[in-house]
């Protein structure tokens, strides 16, 4: 009986796509995994089907980069850095070679659009796919995205997740996950250490992994100081836009006269918070401290400069580009957690004396 690729995968305890990558040598694979696959090949006396192998390698020079909103600096920075790496290819001597065409796919945050783009990239036999930013949550969508990416990987497409949680892809994707929980916990912890006890929070859009993880980090910091009981009352829904920050701040100020600090789910919303406070005749940070998240380029130029959490967006995007081009090895276990660093600036200070 002829031994198949699936037989080798079963013996090695990996996916068929991983076996294909080991045999083709066209994708970074952990040394221990490679050794298991090669041992299974030897034990089963597997013979590569040259014709099938040639077809599997017939990917295009196209790499898809999926973003929620290219006009948002959060996504624009990552996409730009990834595109530069993809276009330049491998550097050698005085020139470059092996560059590919990066196509930025703007989903508008729509889960259905994300699936549609993945289908189109599969039809184009894309050489690689980078999916950026938080994931739309829900079992059905998660399963659908996982299935799409697994199919792309099995066809020879390199898959990289940048800034979103890992998916159960059995080593068929490299993941650069942002530490949103840890960053949010440190940010709110900073305000608590300054003495704030009445802290409002404005969330990101509903049913997004980034929104949930940042809110969980915020509430964990409150729980650390015995303030979990007020967390829900002082949380208002929003999105990552300036208008949402403005509306959310007004709602919080109306609900809590003793409010001394507001945390917004990102820097853009934090600018809206500052506008609402100015409108009420309140000073930042003398009356109310304000903090954001992401450390977008304008944060340091805001008046006052924003306390925030820095995500290395350019570095993460560039690394995703190298991974999708096969110029950097996948992290151990396929997942690398990108550190979120607290940056304290003039928009936060101790609460006013009562």
């Amino acid at each position: 009986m002829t031994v198949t690729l699936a037989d080798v995968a079963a013996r090695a305890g990996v996916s068929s796509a991983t076996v294909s990558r080991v045999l083709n040598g066209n994708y970074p694979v952990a040394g221990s995994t490679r050794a298991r696959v090669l041992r299974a090949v030897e034990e089963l006396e597997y013979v590569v089907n040259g014709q099938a192998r040639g077809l599997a390698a017939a990917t295009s020079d196209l790499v898809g980069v999926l973003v929620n909103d290219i006009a948002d600096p959060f996504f624009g920075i990552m996409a730009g850095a990834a595109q530069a790496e993809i276009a330049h290819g491998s550097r050698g001597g005085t020139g470059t070679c092996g560059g590919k065409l990066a196509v930025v796919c703007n989903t508008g945050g729509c889960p259905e659009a994300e699936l549609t783009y993945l289908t189109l990239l599969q039809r184009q036999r894309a050489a690689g796919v980078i999916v950026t930013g938080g994931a739309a949550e829900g079992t059905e969508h998660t399963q659908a995205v996982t299935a799409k990416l697994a199919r792309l990987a099995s066809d020879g497409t390199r898959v990289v997740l940048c800034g979103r949680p890992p998916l159960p892809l059995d080593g068929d994707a490299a993941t650069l996950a942002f530490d949103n929980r840890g960053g949010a916990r440190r940010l709110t912890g900073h305000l608590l250490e300054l003495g704030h006890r009445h802290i409002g929070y404005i969330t990101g859009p509903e049913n997004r992994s980034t929104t949930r993880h940042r809110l969980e980090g915020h509430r964990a910091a409150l729980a650390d100081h015995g303030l979990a009981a007020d967390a829900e009352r002082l949380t208002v829904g929003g999105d990552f836009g300036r208008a949402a920050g403005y509306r959310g701040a007004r709602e919080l100020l109306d609900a809590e006269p003793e409010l001394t600090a507001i945390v917004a789910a990102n820097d853009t919303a934090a600018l809206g918070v500052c506008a609402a406070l100015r409108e009420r005749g309140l000073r930042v940070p003398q009356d109310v401290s304000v903090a954001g998240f992401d450390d977008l380029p304008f944060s340091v130029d805001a008046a006052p400069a924003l306390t925030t959490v820095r995500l290395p967006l350019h570095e993460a995007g560039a690394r995703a580009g190298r991974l999708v081009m096969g110029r950097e090895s996948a992290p151990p276990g396929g997942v690398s957690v990108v550190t979120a660093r607290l940056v304290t600036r003039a928009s936060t200070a101790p609460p006013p004396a009562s």
Side-chain angles (χ1 to χ4, degrees):
M1 185 175 66
T2 302
V3 177
T4 68
L5 196 74
D7 296 327
V8 175
R11 174 67 67 91
V14 298
S15 69
S16 296
T18 299
V19 175
S20 177
R21 285 168 176 168
V22 170
L23 297 178
N24 290 330
N26 65 347
Y27 194 90
V29 177
S32 59
T33 302
R34 181 181 300 276
R36 290 206 316 275
V37 170
L38 294 177
R39 186 166 57 249
V41 168
E42 183 177 353
E43 291 171 352
L44 295 174
E45 298 181 354
Y46 174 67
V47 177
V48 176
N49 183 321
Q51 184 177 13
R53 182 172 179 172
L55 289 172
T59 55
S60 70
D61 283 332
L62 183 151
V63 176
V65 183
L66 272 64
V67 301
N68 282 0
D69 181 4
I70 194 61
D72 184 337
F74 178 90
F75 294 100
I77 291 169
M78 285 192 291
Q83 186 173 25
E85 293 288 341
I86 293 164
H88 288 165
S90 58
R91 295 169 178 80
T94 59
T96 62
C97 61
K100 296 186 182 297
L101 173 65
V103 176
V104 177
C105 307
N106 198 86
T107 69
C110 174
E112 291 76 15
E114 187 172 75
L115 293 171
T116 297
Y117 278 126
L118 292 176
T119 298
L120 292 173
L121 289 166
Q122 181 186 344
R123 291 176 183 170
Q124 294 297 318
R125 300 194 64 80
V129 171
I130 300 174
V131 187
T132 67
E137 297 196 307
T139 302
E140 185 175 346
H141 180 70
T142 299
Q143 290 176 344
V145 170
T146 301
K148 290 282 187 185
L149 293 175
R151 179 60 186 273
L152 279 159
S154 69
D155 289 345
T157 299
R158 293 193 181 107
V159 176
V160 180
L161 306 180
C162 183
R164 69 165 50 194
L167 289 170
L169 287 166
D170 191 26
D172 290 337
T175 301
L176 306 178
F178 293 157
D179 183 19
N180 287 303
R181 285 192 189 90
R185 190 170 190 166
R186 287 186 286 276
L187 179 62
T188 298
H190 166 68
L191 291 169
L192 291 163
E193 289 170 2
L194 289 173
H196 293 277
R197 292 298 179 267
H198 303 281
I199 304 172
Y201 188 86
I202 301 170
T203 73
E206 290 184 343
N207 302 320
R208 304 295 299 189
S209 60
T210 301
T211 296
R212 179 170 61 85
H213 294 166
R214 293 181 183 181
L215 179 58
E216 287 173 351
H218 166 72
R219 291 186 170 177
L222 294 176
D224 291 341
H225 288 73
L227 298 173
D230 287 337
E232 186 169 353
R233 182 175 65 85
L234 295 180
T235 299
V236 299
D239 55 38
F240 291 134
R242 183 182 182 278
Y246 174 83
R247 291 191 303 269
R250 289 172 58 91
E251 185 177 340
L252 286 167
L253 290 168
D254 291 340
E256 179 53 77
E258 297 183 6
L259 198 73
T260 63
I262 298 176
V263 178
N266 77 337
D267 293 336
T268 304
L271 291 184
V273 171
C274 292
L277 293 173
R278 287 194 299 269
E279 187 179 86
R280 295 286 182 100
L282 297 171
R283 299 166 299 166
V284 179
Q286 293 91 336
D287 299 314
V288 180
S289 288
V290 177
F293 205 109
D294 295 332
D295 196 24
L296 298 177
F298 58 76
S299 301
V300 70
D301 295 321
L306 278 175
T307 288
T308 184
V309 173
R310 176 175 297 162
L311 291 175
L313 299 174
H314 185 276
E315 293 84 350
R319 187 179 177 192
R322 293 192 297 272
L323 284 164
V324 86
M325 292 294 287
R327 297 202 311 273
E328 182 172 323
S329 297
V335 180
S336 177
V337 178
V338 179
T339 302
R341 184 166 71 85
L342 174 67
V343 179
T344 56
R345 297 194 181 110
S347 69
T348 53
S354 55

